[in-house]
């Protein structure tokens, strides 16, 4: 699949998550819609998604949508995912992200094997206790991985019986597979995120799903690139002031 069909599939996912009729326009266009039930952002916030140079923004109220349209009228679409640029034209509270959005199709996928002496195991969702791994990784990394929200089997690497890396995905609207990966800090940099993430992506592709990798941290984004993902855009959310 070329990058253009991949982009179209990714846009379809986020258009559905907007929860109201909206579509991405041509590069540089910004479409702002009122969607109090948007699944792009926390309730009451504004969600911003930039894909292929075009942006969709969901606002919680008509008043917020009007303020956003006025504020970003002279702002290039690509600057919408820069919190500082947005903050200069629109008063905001807290900000989440931005996170890079990447997707992969069968022909672009580059599988990765576990390092010598280790193997990736598959377990049913909910069968494993990943609490020790999440505590070792820390709350911020565990929240970004979101393994407790995943619906797929979990793919893990164990060392001395302990899970030191895990990956899984949650099926999203639009037939997307939202992939999450987590590795214990002392085991990072050894290819375990690539190996477990590869297993999760392979499983998603076999189900006909579109694997999506959403990450803020550069190390996680590098793993996605290594597996063949194409970074298509980014997504922040802002709390209206």
């Amino acid at each position: 699949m070329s990058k253009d069909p991949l982009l179209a599939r990714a846009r379809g996912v986020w258009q559905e998550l907007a929860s109201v009729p909206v579509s991405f326009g041509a590069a540089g266009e910004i479409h702002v819609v009122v969607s109090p039930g948007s699944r792009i952002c926390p309730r009451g916030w504004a969600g911003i998604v930039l894909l292929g140079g075009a942006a969709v923004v969901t606002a919680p109220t008509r008043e917020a949508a009007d303020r956003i349209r006025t504020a970003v009228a002279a702002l290039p679409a690509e600057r919408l995912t820069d919190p500082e640029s947005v903050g200069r034209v629109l008063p905001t509270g807290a900000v989440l992200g931005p996170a890079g959005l990447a997707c992969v199709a069968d022909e672009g996928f580059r599988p990765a094997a576990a390092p010598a002496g280790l193997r990736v195991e598959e377990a049913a969702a909910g069968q494993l206790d990943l609490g020790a791994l999440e505590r070792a990784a820390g709350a911020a990394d565990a929240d970004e991985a979101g393994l407790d929200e995943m619906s797929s089997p979990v793919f893990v690497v164990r060392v001395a019986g302990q899970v030191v890396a895990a990956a899984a995905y949650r099926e999203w609207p639009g037939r997307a597979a939202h992939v999450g990966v987590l590795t214990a800090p002392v085991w990072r940099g050894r290819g375990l995120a690539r190996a477990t993430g590869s297993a999760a992506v392979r499983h998603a592709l076999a189900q006909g799903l579109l694997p999506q990798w959403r990450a803020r941290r550069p190390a996680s984004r590098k793993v996605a690139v290594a597996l063949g993902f194409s970074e298509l855009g980014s997504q922040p959310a802002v709390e209206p002031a």
Side-chain angles (χ1 to χ4, degrees), residues 11-232:
R11 284 178 164 182
V13 170
W14 288 91
Q15 286 166 185
E16 189 166 342
L17 288 169
S19 301
V20 297
V22 66
S23 60
F24 289 88
E29 292 184 358
I30 302 171
H31 291 177
V32 182
V33 293
V34 180
S35 179
S38 171
R39 290 172 285 178
I40 290 175
C41 56
R43 185 168 292 274
W45 288 43
I48 303 168
V49 182
L50 180 76
L51 286 170
V56 162
V57 183
T58 61
T61 64
R62 185 174 301 279
E63 292 76 12
D66 290 342
R67 288 198 302 271
I68 292 169
R69 287 192 192 96
T70 300
V72 305
L75 195 66
E78 65 268 17
R79 302 301 296 274
L80 279 181
T81 58
D82 174 16
E84 290 188 7
S85 296
V86 174
R88 283 194 287 268
V89 298
L90 180 70
T92 61
V95 177
L96 296 175
L101 298 176
C103 295
V104 69
D106 288 273
E107 54 268 36
F109 176 44
R110 296 194 291 267
L118 298 174
R119 64 187 181 91
V120 178
E121 305 173 31
E122 178 180 336
Q127 182 177 319
L128 292 173
D129 181 1
L130 300 176
L133 172 62
E134 292 174 331
R135 288 190 294 274
D141 285 356
D143 287 347
E144 180 162 315
L147 294 178
D148 58 335
E149 302 173 351
M150 301 307 184
S151 55
S152 75
V154 182
F155 301 90
V156 303
V157 171
R158 301 178 196 260
V159 175
Q162 298 296 313
V163 175
V164 297
Y169 65 83
R170 181 179 182 85
E171 187 170 345
W172 275 19
R175 300 283 293 162
H178 182 67
V179 180
V181 177
L182 190 63
T183 304
V186 297
W187 284 92
R188 291 176 183 173
R190 308 189 197 195
L192 301 188
R194 289 195 301 275
T196 55
S198 177
V201 170
R202 183 185 292 110
H203 189 279
L205 289 171
Q207 311 308 308
L209 302 175
L210 174 68
Q212 174 185 265
W213 198 287
R214 180 186 180 279
R216 289 171 289 179
R217 300 183 183 279
S220 180
R221 294 165 78 166
K222 288 180 181 178
V223 172
V225 170
L227 292 176
F229 280 74
S230 296
E231 191 154 306
L232 304 173

